[in-house]
């Protein structure tokens, strides 16, 4: 069974939590790359320049293997880890959660901090619209013009998205299909006389 779908958030969402006058403002942000994560974290640091801590965690990729958590000066594992834990428990990816803390003058202790960061993250993620996306693959097939009808019949039956097409003496078509269905499509295209797949 090919893992070819993943859960992520549709758009930015916010949450809020307060405990003993400390305020925790949270943002769940859809992201695709580590560069994007850095840009977003920098932007929120500038925006909340007067906050005591800007803690965050992210998870990237359909395989959910790229992740990181940052405590930004809070005691070790009291902020970034609980944030990441919430992303994980919902099995989300391509998401960054930033939690901004304004210190209220009263220490919360490690367990209090863990609860606060976890709850603030949960608030933002609960407000998010979750969507399932597929992991897709592009297949480029090259064939002679007389076999166009045969190719188009396969396209109609298997339902891939046509990314690009060029009709000449030799025709070229790039199709996008869900990863789990790619092998079947490849095999069907190869059965059309004269067709071959571009590596």
């Amino acid at each position: 069974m090919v893992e070819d779908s993943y859960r992520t958030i549709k758009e930015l969402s916010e949450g809020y939590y307060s405990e003993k006058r400390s305020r925790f403002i949270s943002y769940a942000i859809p992201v695709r790359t580590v560069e994007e994560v850095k840009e977003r974290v920098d932007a929120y640091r500038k925006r909340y320049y007067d906050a005591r801590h800007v803690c965050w965690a992210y998870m990237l990729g359909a395989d959910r293997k790229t992740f990181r958590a940052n405590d930004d000066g809070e005691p070790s594992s009291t902020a970034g880890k609980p944030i990441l834990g919430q992303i994980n428990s919902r099995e989300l990816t391509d998401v960054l959660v930033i939690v901004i803390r304004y210190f209220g003058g009263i220490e919360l202790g490690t367990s209090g901090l863990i609860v606060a960061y976890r709850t603030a993250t949960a608030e933002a993620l609960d407000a998010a619209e979750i969507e399932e996306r597929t992991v897709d693959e592009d297949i480029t097939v090259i064939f002679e013009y007389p076999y166009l009808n045969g190719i188009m019949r396969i396209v109609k039956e298997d339902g891939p998205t046509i990314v690009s097409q060029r009709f000449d003496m030799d025709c070229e078509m790039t199709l996008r299909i869900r990863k789990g269905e790619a092998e079947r499509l490849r095999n069907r295209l190869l059965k059309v006389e004269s067709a071959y797949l571009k590596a």
Side-chain angles (χ1 to χ4, degrees), residues 7-61:
R7 286 156 51 82
T8 188
I9 61 172
K10 204 167 182 178
E11 53 203 18
L12 179 116
S13 60
E14 299 175 27
Y16 180 79
Y17 178 74
S18 67
E19 179 69 25
K20 295 179 180 165
R21 295 208 299 271
S22 269
R23 291 182 298 132
F24 298 84
I25 305 158
S26 54
Y27 294 93
I29 307 158
V31 286
R32 285 293 179 97
T33 63
V34 174
E35 289 68 38
E36 217 180 322
V37 167
K38 285 178 183 147
E39 282 167 23
R40 293 307 184 97
V41 170
D42 288 346
Y44 278 85
R45 274 192 206 289
K46 285 192 184 91
R47 185 166 156 194
Y48 291 98
Y49 64 90
D50 56 340
R52 174 73 72 94
H53 303 281
V54 177
C55 305
W56 49 270
Y58 67 80
M59 175 75 71
L60 295 176

Side-chain angles (χ1 to χ4, degrees), residues 35-191:
E35 289 68 38
E36 217 180 322
V37 167
K38 285 178 183 147
E39 282 167 23
R40 293 307 184 97
V41 170
D42 288 346
Y44 278 85
R45 274 192 206 289
K46 285 192 184 91
R47 185 166 156 194
Y48 291 98
Y49 64 90
D50 56 340
R52 174 73 72 94
H53 303 281
V54 177
C55 305
W56 49 270
Y58 67 80
M59 175 75 71
L60 295 176
D63 57 4
R64 302 175 73 246
K65 285 188 174 142
T66 306
F67 56 89
R68 199 166 153 224
N70 187 302
D71 295 314
D72 191 40
E74 291 282 32
S76 179
S77 300
T78 59
K81 213 170 168 185
I83 296 171
L84 188 61
Q86 285 298 306
I87 296 171
N88 255 329
S89 68
R90 288 167 166 78
E91 295 182 345
L92 296 172
T93 191
D94 287 358
V95 64
L96 161 69
V97 176
I98 298 175
V99 181
I100 292 108
R101 180 188 183 192
Y102 283 98
F103 184 55
I106 301 165
E107 296 288 344
L108 299 184
T110 52
S111 60
L113 284 172
I114 289 167
V115 168
Y117 281 101
R118 188 170 60 215
T119 308
T121 303
E123 289 290 325
L125 291 173
D126 287 346
E129 192 181 337
I130 308 292
E131 65 178 6
E132 187 148 327
R133 292 189 190 155
T134 57
V135 180
D136 298 329
E137 219 169 281
D138 285 1
I139 299 168
T140 300
V141 61
I142 296 164
F143 54 93
E144 288 167 18
Y145 191 79
Y147 300 102
L148 176 62
N149 285 343
I151 296 285
M152 288 312 288
R153 191 176 62 248
I154 294 169
V155 169
K156 198 174 169 203
E157 288 167 4
D158 284 23
T161 305
I162 298 172
V163 179
S164 67
Q165 51 191 6
R166 178 180 58 75
F167 301 125
D168 242 339
M169 281 303 291
D170 259 0
C171 302
E172 187 174 311
M173 197 178 280
T174 300
L175 306 168
R176 182 167 293 154
I177 195 162
R178 192 171 172 155
K179 199 174 177 181
E181 295 161 16
E183 194 58 35
R184 176 170 172 257
L185 178 62
R186 257 193 220 96
N187 291 336
R188 288 197 70 192
L189 291 169
L190 283 171
K191 283 187 181 131

